[in-house]
Amino acid sequence: MKLLMRSYDHRKIEKKWQAKWERGKCYHAKEGAGGKKFYALIEFPYLSGDGLHVGHIRSNTAMDIIARKRRAEGHEVLYPIGWDGFGLPTENYAIKTGKSPVLVTKQNTNTFRRQLKSLGFSFDWSREINTTDPAYYKWTQWIFLQFFKDGLAYKKKQAINWCPKDLIGLANEEVVDGHCERCGTPVEKREKEQWMLAITKYADRLDKDLDTVDYLERIKIQQRNWIGRSEGTQIKFEIRSTKSETNSKSEIQRPKQERIEVFTTRADTLFGATYIVLAPEIANEKFKSKNEKSQFKIQNWGEVEKYIEQVKKKTEIQRTEEGKEKTGVEIKGIKAINPATKEEIPVWIADYVLPDYGTGAIMAVPAHDERDFQFAKKFNLPVRIVVCPEYPAPKCPVLDRAYIGPGHLVGSGTFDGLTNEEAKKKIAKAVGAKPVISYKLRDWVFSRQRYWGEPIPLIHCDMCGYVPVAEKDLPVKLPVVKNYKPTATGESPLAAITKWVTVKCPKCKGVARRETDTMPNWAGSSWYYLRYLDPKNKKEFVGKEKLAYWSHSSEKLPAIPLRGISRRETSYKLQAGPVSWYNGGMEHTTLHLLYSRFWHKFLYDKGFVSTSEPYAKRTSNGLILAEGGVKMSKSKGNVINPDEIVERYGADTLRIYEMFMGPFDQPVVWSTESIIGSRRFLERVWRLGERVTEHRAWSTEHGAQNTEHRTRSTEATDTTVQTALHQTIKKVSEDIETMRFNTAISQLMIFTNALEKASAVSREAYQTLLRLLAPFAPHVTEELWGKCGKKQSIHTESWPVVSSALEGTAVATIVIQVNGKKRAILQLKNGATEGEVREAATALPEVKKWLGESTIRKVIHLPNKLMNIVVD
RNA sequence: GCCCGGGUGGCGGAAUUGGCAGACGCGCUCGACUUAAGAUCGAGUUCCGAAAGGAAUGAGAGUUCGAUUCUCUCCCCGGGCACCA
């Protein structure tokens, strides 16, 4: 085992400074007068029983570095911390151990708080919040009621994703490959009454407004894909009973016109639509009663119904596992009329058509859609080519797969010869189709049938329906119960507590029942960043002044390309905040990040917040994987406990190590073996202090060891050190902004190496090194700063700036190439002309050798950088 | 299948308007110090070659005086979505 340097005792130093900072309230956001404000945010930890993960430290350290740099740059910084507590892991743990979730939460909070404090993050601890605190979830409930009052929270009976192990309904976002995101059990479908939040009402703005925020491009792309905006048209198909054609006697068999509307993005292929397909669920709604009333005589209704039943029973996985193998049933007795060709085409039902996308019905164009093609092949339906890549089409080929590319129209009457893009609009217009935008995004299933969540603050009265709990009666507190176990019936355990459930209706005072479903664990985190601004407010979820104060905290953002915004309507004022910079995990992109944007937009529409987006900037860090490149997990026993690393190497070393491991936005593999490098670096910085000779503190403490160094000159005369110093200031400053922490640290190491090799270590150079290193390693730099005789904290120092006078160098290093291969390096004066460089270069023996007798064809010269001499 | 990343020494990784490939760190080798080990310091460490030199950034082609970087074709790894009409 490696031994660590003894004079740098991280155990003593780190505890000492943490206590001092806390006593001095050094990192409390001051809320003084004006000035630049900066709100740095990390995702507050979920209070799992496993304690802090090295992944938390990666994200927290990054934002801590940025927060500390901003303070040094004169910003007023808010960097808060809190706890996300509700949800299944805590509840399951409580059930397993028999402890109450409240107690478990308290214990976990204490663990997390201790661990986070041991790492020296500059959090404002006076603003701690906890989503399970009634004083907090009162406002989560209050916001829910605002949704309810606006009709955006509604109850709906529908087939939902049900996890048979966790006994809980899941949101679409929580289902991964047909399995429960949490426990991996295959998800079943269940008909249940659920509370829903109408996030789809905001689909358009959630997509469009991404243009106004500075998120990593891949985050935007992932959200856009999830929202799944697509522009198309709805086309009406008339439905006729086939019997009515052959038997014209009966009036009943000549019903009023019936229509099916389909959604398509390929109106250009309408002439190739050879059948239409309904989602089974839609067919049931549409034709069941009509069939019974014999408006339409469907000859095989029994068969159709049987298929509908089969589909209902299928689980998500069964549906996906079957993959491309299509199933379906023709509805016999009716036909649809293709509005372009006026032909009668058959009507089918099949589960490859989804009930909740578009209209739940499609026109099938087998020649130009892969799924329709497979279906047509299986059921022997006609394939009609209407788009050809070449025009005029050479001859009609037999397709072995659908052609989905662009081309010119064929077999489409007067539209022949048009490009399919032109035809899209013209055909849609000709058949009176209206433009429609569809989204993949679904409304958010918002109820959970479990104990450990915010109770939904509604009361059901037989007379009045659902009535909101009066604002003065909030919060609706979770009752203390003996049994938290979920019930297999799909009812929350709260339903069993008669005393809690039975209440008076707030409206009519009759006997009524409380809603017993609770909210999903995403509720509390959808607005927590607002509560940090005013965590103790009893009257409002956030005070107006506090909100206004921090809502202007967003930095001037760099110009970001506004993708397509010119074409889209921007009728409302767009502004992002209060959060200036939010870092977190990629895994929350389509969950928490999307949900909280939705909540914020709603609050904005209600006038409660003044910005249309909550986060001006969002970045994301890669995962930390266990050695071997696998995920850390308790079951694999490869979880790194940060406590042990802090104890052995110190918080500063761990922070440096995690930032140095690799590119911040990419996954990195943990290597305990490599940590020593970060520790050695800090030890070298420590030892370097002993060579800053003119200071008394060092000379008294370490006098005996460094008499040799003290005799050397202390003047900062070494220009290479000066140049390196300014390069370092520049590089570190830039790299922090772009989150390239690994190369920032590498530069600090390079500079440290340079100082070690220098004949003398100037006080200026050393202290600047400490200031640049301080955000990364706050404790050891604070200690060394004190040793330099400073009375004030290093973390109140201003950020070093590059002095432009020292940036340029007098000497340029020029690479000399012959035929593109490096052959020599020249040191010449800055700004040497091509002639001068050429003369000097060709004089060099190592260049001469390569030039030989051959003639020079060409010379490429990049001033101060490179010369390439091209010969035969 | 579609959409994002990524592929560079024994390992983590540097290198951008195309211009010194392998910075920085880990590991390893040799040396100094030490009774010894560790720590520390010094030298070395892509491959082939004794050297001169040559080859090399997943594979192959192209553009260029010059390609890790740009273009095309393909392979592999990670992540996301997945019958979304």
Side-chain angles (χ1 to χ4, degrees):
Chain A
M1 195 178 254
K2 310 269 197 276
L3 283 189
L4 307 178
M5 184 175 146
R6 249 176 296 153
S7 59
Y8 166 28
D9 182 354
H10 62 268
R11 293 183 189 86
K12 226 155 78 193
I13 291 171
E14 291 177 355
K15 287 218 179 65
K16 177 178 86 184
W17 288 111
Q18 281 158 15
K20 275 203 180 168
W21 295 333
E22 189 155 357
R23 255 182 284 128
K25 299 181 178 173
C26 295
Y27 305 120
H28 289 198
K30 304 289 187 305
E31 296 186 339
K36 293 174 282 183
K37 295 151 205 162
F38 186 81
Y39 182 174
L41 186 68
I42 43 103
E43 285 161 355
F44 60 167
Y46 182 78
L47 290 171
S48 94
D50 306 334
L52 199 68
H53 187 273
V54 287
H56 291 119
I57 299 171
R58 194 176 193 202
S59 174
N60 296 6
T61 305
M63 281 320 291
D64 195 48
I65 290 165
I66 290 160
R68 286 175 185 276
K69 178 165 181 273
R70 284 290 179 283
R71 285 194 198 94
E73 288 168 334
H75 288 70
E76 193 170 307
V77 171
L78 170 60
Y79 188 31
I81 183 72
W83 320 107
D84 189 14
F86 278 131
L88 274 181
T90 302
E91 180 172 320
N92 286 340
Y93 182 79
I95 290 166
K96 207 168 74 190
T97 58
K99 291 178 187 165
S100 88
V102 177
L103 181 69
V104 170
T105 298
K106 198 163 178 221
Q107 289 172 342
N108 290 348
T109 309
N110 289 337
T111 307
F112 269 92
R113 192 187 292 111
R114 175 186 61 72
Q115 291 184 302
L116 287 175
K117 285 192 173 176
S118 80
L119 280 145
F121 297 127
S122 61
F123 289 132
D124 180 346
W125 286 97
S126 70
R127 291 167 188 259
E128 236 178 295
I129 55 171
N130 187 324
T131 56
T132 67
D133 177 357
Y136 180 91
Y137 71 69
K138 166 181 177 171
W139 297 108
T140 310
Q141 292 176 333
W142 181 85
I143 295 170
F144 174 85
L145 288 182
Q146 309 310 307
F147 277 114
F148 179 76
K149 284 171 189 168
D150 269 39
L152 293 176
Y154 63 97
K155 203 156 197 188
K156 188 182 167 192
K157 185 165 183 150
Q158 62 160 19
I160 59 142
N161 308 303
W162 176 262
C163 173
K165 179 158 177 274
D166 288 339
L167 303 173
I168 195 167
L170 301 170
N172 281 325
E173 291 83 344
E174 293 170 308
V175 180
V176 177
D177 282 337
H179 294 78
C180 172
E181 180 198 46
R182 185 147 294 139
C183 68
T185 310
V187 166
E188 295 172 358
K189 272 192 210 163
R190 249 201 203 196
E191 286 274 325
K192 266 200 74 65
E193 281 241 307
Q194 296 277 350
W195 283 101
M196 308 288 292
L197 282 190
I199 190 170
T200 52
K201 290 243 162 70
Y202 284 80
D204 185 41
R205 283 162 63 190
L206 287 168
D207 177 318
K208 192 168 69 180
D209 291 356
L210 286 171
D211 287 332
T212 71
V213 288
D214 181 16
Y215 290 9
L216 284 187
E217 200 51 36
R218 64 194 164 116
I219 297 174
K220 290 190 184 184
I221 289 168
Q222 207 168 305
Q223 283 210 350
R224 284 213 162 93
N225 287 346
W226 186 262
I227 294 165
R229 180 191 155 99
S230 96
E231 292 178 17
T233 45
Q234 272 184 24
I235 302 178
K236 288 183 187 125
F237 281 70
E238 200 183 310
I239 301 298
R240 271 188 213 152
S241 184
T242 42
K243 273 255 171 81
S244 65
E245 297 298 315
T246 52
N247 182 358
S248 55
K249 274 186 287 180
S250 166
E251 268 306 298
I252 300 166
Q253 285 172 339
R254 275 214 164 276
K256 277 187 290 178
Q257 252 193 347
E258 184 59 40
R259 284 182 172 140
I260 289 171
E261 278 197 273
V262 304
F263 174 75
T264 182
T265 55
R266 295 292 306 271
D268 51 313
T269 62
L270 181 57
F271 283 82
T274 50
Y275 58 97
I276 68 172
V277 190
L278 302 179
E281 295 86 343
I282 299 289
N284 199 27
E285 274 168 41
K286 203 159 177 83
F287 291 112
K288 191 171 184 172
S289 66
K290 296 203 173 84
N291 185 53
E292 278 156 8
K293 284 186 233 147
S294 331
Q295 277 180 339
F296 282 104
K297 199 65 218 161
I298 290 165
Q299 294 153 7
N300 61 340
W301 184 251
E303 198 190 342
V304 169
E305 251 189 333
K306 199 175 137 201
Y307 181 76
I308 293 168
E309 281 310 307
Q310 270 173 16
V311 169
K312 265 191 190 169
K313 277 189 211 133
K314 278 189 196 171
T315 65
E316 282 282 321
I317 323 166
Q318 281 171 325
R319 248 177 112 146
T320 36
E321 263 175 4
E322 283 161 11
K324 300 280 190 266
E325 189 56 34
K326 300 280 181 292
T327 61
V329 173
E330 185 180 354
I331 306 181
K332 289 185 177 142
I334 56 169
K335 293 276 184 194
I337 309 300
N338 182 324
T341 62
K342 308 293 177 200
E343 281 174 308
E344 281 193 352
I345 56 175
V347 179
W348 285 71
I349 60 169
D351 67 354
Y352 84 91
V353 176
L354 306 172
D356 45 6
Y357 181 78
T359 58
I362 61 150
M363 62 178 210
V365 186
H368 305 293
D369 182 281
E370 198 51 46
R371 296 148 300 181
D372 297 344
F373 184 83
Q374 284 160 7
F375 194 80
K377 282 282 148 205
K378 176 152 181 191
F379 294 101
N380 215 8
L381 291 155
V383 177
R384 186 178 300 157
I385 296 167
V386 290
V387 178
C388 257
E390 286 172 64
Y391 188 83
K395 63 172 186 206
C396 257
V398 179
L399 294 176
D400 58 352
R401 59 184 304 174
Y403 175 70
I404 52 172
H408 291 264
L409 262 64
V410 294
S412 298
T414 56
F415 301 98
D416 277 10
L418 292 176
T419 68
N420 65 310
E421 281 306 316
E422 289 166 341
K424 220 175 245 185
K425 285 171 221 145
K426 293 198 170 155
I427 293 181
K429 203 174 164 198
V431 298
K434 61 175 182 207
V436 163
I437 293 160
S438 276
Y439 298 93
K440 289 188 203 172
L441 188 69
R442 301 291 133 82
D443 274 348
W444 177 5
V445 181
F446 199 69
S447 20
R448 299 291 184 273
Q449 298 70 43
R450 296 285 293 237
Y451 173 77
W452 194 232
E454 301 88 344
I456 290 176
L458 292 172
I459 290 165
H460 186 258
C461 166
D462 286 341
M463 305 298 292
C464 315
Y466 282 101
V467 182
V469 170
E471 212 171 292
K472 67 173 171 56
D473 295 331
L474 293 179
V476 176
K477 286 193 192 170
L478 265 180
V480 178
V481 295
K482 285 208 186 79
N483 189 9
Y484 315 105
K485 276 191 191 143
T487 61
T489 62
E491 249 194 332
S492 156
L494 293 176
I497 312 163
T498 325
K499 246 175 93 179
W500 182 81
V501 169
T502 315
V503 282
K504 269 190 204 158
C505 169
K507 238 186 194 165
C508 70
K509 310 294 172 202
V511 179
R513 283 173 55 84
R514 280 191 196 281
E515 173 59 60
T516 58
D517 279 359
T518 53
M519 299 187 199
N521 60 332
W522 308 107
S525 59
S526 291
W527 70 283
Y528 76 113
Y529 57 92
L530 291 169
R531 190 63 180 171
Y532 280 139
L533 303 179
D534 197 5
K536 296 182 178 80
N537 194 326
K538 291 205 165 103
K539 300 220 165 72
E540 295 166 285
F541 72 99
V542 56
K544 294 262 184 310
E545 314 78 54
K546 304 267 186 185
L547 183 64
Y549 182 84
W550 287 104
S551 286
H552 303 287
S553 64
S554 308
E555 292 181 85
K556 276 264 182 295
L557 296 170
I560 50 166
L562 297 182
R563 222 175 64 168
I565 198 156
S566 52
R567 277 180 286 117
R568 294 183 192 168
E569 203 186 332
T570 47
S571 57
Y572 53 95
K573 199 180 153 204
L574 298 163
Q575 205 193 341
V579 177
S580 316
W581 192 334
Y582 190 15
N583 186 72
M586 236 11 230
E587 71 275 17
H588 288 128
T589 304
T590 53
L591 290 159
H592 158 68
L593 194 66
L594 194 62
Y595 292 152
S596 58
R597 288 183 61 221
F598 161 50
W599 278 42
H600 193 89
K601 284 184 179 302
F602 171 71
L603 293 171
Y604 172 74
D605 287 351
K606 302 304 291 174
F608 294 122
V609 297
S610 57
T611 54
S612 57
E613 284 284 336
Y615 318 117
K617 178 170 181 154
R618 167 82 182 189
T619 53
S620 203
N621 54 284
L623 285 178
I624 297 184
L625 303 169
E627 302 197 41
V630 291
K631 268 195 182 146
M632 286 191 189
S633 74
K634 244 201 310 198
S635 56
K636 290 198 195 100
N638 56 9
V639 179
I640 300 293
N641 182 353
D643 287 343
E644 288 167 19
I645 309 291
V646 170
E647 164 61 21
R648 168 137 187 81
Y649 297 96
D652 285 334
T653 297
L654 178 54
R655 292 168 58 119
I656 294 272
Y657 173 63
E658 288 210 14
M659 292 298 100
F660 186 61
M661 286 174 88
F664 184 66
D665 59 352
Q666 268 168 112
V668 282
V669 176
W670 183 268
S671 162
T672 301
E673 192 184 57
S674 303
I675 297 173
I676 193 68
S678 302
R679 170 72 192 198
R680 281 188 196 136
F681 166 54
L682 294 180
E683 287 180 1
R684 284 211 304 275
V685 173
W686 182 281
R687 254 183 250 121
L688 205 53
E690 295 165 10
R691 288 185 49 199
V692 180
T693 48
E694 70 269 65
H695 204 270
R696 218 175 300 126
W698 282 110
S699 39
T700 48
E701 259 184 59
H702 306 279
Q705 299 164 24
N706 60 1
T707 39
E708 187 197 339
H709 295 308
R710 279 169 67 206
T711 59
R712 289 183 183 166
S713 157
T714 58
E715 287 306 306
T717 49
D718 194 340
T719 51
T720 58
V721 168
Q722 278 299 309
T723 310
L725 172 64
H726 288 278
Q727 273 170 359
T728 304
I729 295 173
K730 190 158 178 272
K731 178 92 177 128
V732 172
S733 304
E734 284 170 4
D735 282 356
I736 290 175
E737 294 307 315
T738 48
M739 301 188 114
R740 287 187 298 213
F741 303 108
N742 53 334
T743 49
I745 291 168
S746 146
Q747 182 63 40
L748 290 167
M749 288 172 169
I750 290 168
F751 185 56
T752 303
N753 293 346
L755 286 182
E756 277 177 342
K757 289 202 170 67
S759 56
V761 178
S762 81
R763 198 169 60 175
E764 187 219 346
Y766 185 66
Q767 290 180 358
T768 308
L769 171 66
L770 291 182
R771 277 153 69 202
L772 291 171
L773 180 59
F776 298 84
H779 310 88
V780 68
T781 48
E782 185 80 304
E783 179 72 16
L784 293 169
W785 193 249
K787 283 191 187 294
C788 288
K790 303 284 184 182
K791 298 279 175 277
Q792 293 288 315
S793 166
I794 191 172
H795 303 295
T796 61
E797 285 295 311
S798 64
W799 190 249
V801 284
V802 183
S803 107
S804 51
L806 285 153
E807 246 184 308
T809 46
V811 182
T813 306
I814 300 165
V815 174
I816 308 300
Q817 297 181 333
V818 178
N819 284 350
K821 279 199 195 322
K822 176 185 139 193
R823 297 301 179 191
I825 288 177
L826 263 183
Q827 298 280 347
L828 281 180
K829 68 170 200 286
N830 209 340
T833 63
E834 177 170 342
E836 287 165 340
V837 177
R838 186 166 167 172
E839 196 182 325
T842 47
L844 291 169
E846 60 265 49
V847 175
K848 265 189 185 156
K849 181 175 148 194
W850 291 101
L851 294 178
E853 298 304 310
S854 29
T855 42
I856 295 174
R857 283 257 165 258
K858 199 171 179 181
V859 173
I860 283 111
H861 177 236
L862 277 94
N864 294 337
K865 238 181 177 177
L866 174 134
M867 174 165 283
N868 186 14
I869 302 166
V870 186
V871 296
D872 287 327

